[in-house]
Amino acid sequence: IGVGLVGFGLFFLLFGVLLYFDSVLMAFGNLLFLSGLVFIIGFRRTFTFFFQRSKMKGTSFFFGGLIVVLMRWPILGMLLEAYGFISLFR
């Protein structure tokens, strides 16, 4: 279930970008991706991964970008999410 949710989340994110940053598809993709991540590694591990003291900057940018996408500013939100994603996984 988790891998399917992550796959659909990435598909919706890509499809949202291809359709000129459609905010609804991108928001749906973000939510599916995060819920798939929770199904794959569990709630506690996901929470501890995102909220480590050394990763708070990346987490704040990632979730800030998610909120900006949900507020229908998709280009700015994706830029914030990309920076947060790079900060989290470097």
Side-chain angles (χ1 to χ4, degrees):
I1 293 174
V3 174
L5 287 173
V6 167
F8 277 120
L10 292 175
F11 171 75
F12 278 111
L13 280 172
L14 178 68
F15 201 58
V17 169
L18 289 176
L19 289 176
Y20 301 112
F21 291 98
D22 183 27
S23 61
V24 174
L25 287 174
M26 291 173 60
F28 192 61
N30 282 324
L31 295 176
L32 283 175
F33 178 76
L34 289 175
S35 63
L37 191 64
V38 169
F39 270 99
I40 290 174
I41 65 174
F43 183 75
R44 183 179 305 266
R45 283 181 146 177
T46 303
F47 186 80
T48 57
F49 172 75
F50 278 110
F51 294 104
Q52 293 175 4
R53 184 173 296 285
S54 63
K55 296 183 179 185
M56 285 305 287
K57 181 180 174 184
T59 300
S60 62
F61 272 99
F62 185 76
F63 285 118
L66 178 75
I67 290 170
V68 171
V69 167
L70 289 173
M71 292 181 352
R72 296 190 180 251
W73 288 49
I75 296 173
L76 178 63
M78 283 307 292
L79 288 173
L80 290 172
E81 279 185 34
Y83 180 73
F85 188 80
I86 290 169
S87 293
L88 281 171
F89 292 105
R90 66 179 162 130

